[in-house]
Amino acid sequence: MDLFLTSYLAGTKKLLKEFLQPLVSKEVVFIPTAANVEEYKEYVDEAISVFQELGFHIKMMDVAAMETSQIEELLKNCSCLYISSGNTFYLLQELKRKGIDKTIVDRVSDGIVYIGESAGAIIASADIEYNQIMDDKTVAEDLKDYSGMNLFNSYILPHYGEFPFAQSSKETLEAYGSSLDLLPLTNSQALIVTADGYKILEERSVR
């Protein structure tokens, strides 16, 4: 299992480059769906730029707009999957609506690389309800089951101490820190999971 979970992909570009070094294929399936219900979406363009700078060919896959058969075909043939930031509850709703959450779990078990930014990192946990302080869950009216993909035993808390999420991330830690194994990440940190375990790395800028 190879997971790269981050708050902000553009803030961890050097870490991502090193993480992706062993990949032979320079192709990534890119899921921007979480951003569909957000006003601010520049992080999607930033993520696209990151992959382009790293020499990757991007296959866009908006789960909400595509047929399940098309999605399944893309996932079947991909070796690297990226899921963007945005609203976590809407993202999970659309993945479950198409049954793609289970497909992704199966493909990760098969050995594909999984890259999750913010919402894409949160859904890797067993349950996403803890993120209701940071994200508006009412935009996902059809989502009744908050169980995530359970790719990782702990729970990512993105944007810790970072504007504009400093207060909501702090409140989330206070509300759920005693009951869940929360792992706070700043926008310059990434959690990397491999068969050997996991580690949190920080990208340091040269001044």
Side-chain angles (χ1 to χ4, degrees):
M1 179 178 292
D2 293 297
L3 311 178
F4 185 95
L5 308 178
T6 182
S7 294
Y8 182 43
L9 198 73
T12 52
K13 181 170 61 176
K14 295 175 186 175
L15 296 176
L16 180 66
K17 180 179 181 180
E18 184 176 344
F19 174 77
L20 293 176
Q21 202 72 39
L23 268 188
V24 175
S25 171
K26 293 295 183 181
E27 190 169 83
V28 59
V29 171
F30 188 117
I31 299 180
T33 306
N36 286 355
V37 293
E38 302 285 9
E39 290 184 17
Y40 180 83
K41 304 180 182 185
E42 287 186 22
Y43 45 82
V44 174
D45 290 333
E46 289 179 307
I48 290 172
S49 294
V50 167
F51 283 111
Q52 288 176 336
E53 286 179 36
L54 296 180
F56 275 74
H57 172 66
I58 298 168
K59 288 190 172 181
M60 298 298 289
M61 187 176 82
D62 181 1
V63 173
M66 295 177 66
E67 297 294 330
T68 301
S69 58
Q70 296 174 295
I71 298 168
E72 295 277 4
E73 187 65 23
L74 279 172
L75 290 175
K76 177 183 176 182
N77 295 301
C78 84
S79 58
C80 181
L81 174 67
Y82 161 80
I83 302 184
S84 85
S85 183
N87 186 285
T88 313
F89 297 96
Y90 174 77
L91 170 62
L92 188 63
Q93 171 185 274
E94 297 309 305
L95 292 176
K96 287 181 179 290
R97 195 193 300 277
K98 301 287 176 65
I100 301 306
D101 55 327
K102 298 187 178 83
T103 304
I104 293 173
V105 171
D106 289 342
R107 293 297 289 123
V108 171
S109 296
D110 289 341
I112 71 165
V113 168
Y114 180 95
I115 303 163
E117 177 180 2
S118 194
I122 291 168
I123 63 167
S125 61
D127 192 286
I128 71 163
E129 193 167 13
Y130 73 97
N131 199 50
Q132 62 185 317
I133 297 172
M134 191 175 295
D135 277 354
D136 178 11
K137 66 179 181 180
T138 64
V139 301
E141 296 180 353
D142 297 330
L143 184 65
K144 310 302 180 187
D145 175 13
Y146 298 119
S147 58
M149 296 191 293
N150 200 21
L151 299 176
F152 181 61
N153 292 332
S154 299
Y155 298 75
I156 298 297
L157 176 56
H159 314 297
Y160 189 70
E162 304 279 2
F163 177 83
F165 302 104
Q167 186 60 33
S168 58
S169 61
K170 179 183 177 184
E171 290 177 8
T172 300
L173 186 60
E174 290 172 350
Y176 295 97
S178 61
S179 57
L180 298 177
D181 182 18
L182 292 179
L183 296 178
L185 296 180
T186 68
N187 285 356
S188 59
Q189 292 179 314
L191 183 140
I192 296 173
V193 184
T194 65
D196 298 326
Y198 77 87
K199 55 189 175 183
I200 296 176
L201 300 179
E202 183 163 7
E203 183 149 320
R204 302 188 182 278
S205 57
V206 179
R207 296 185 179 179

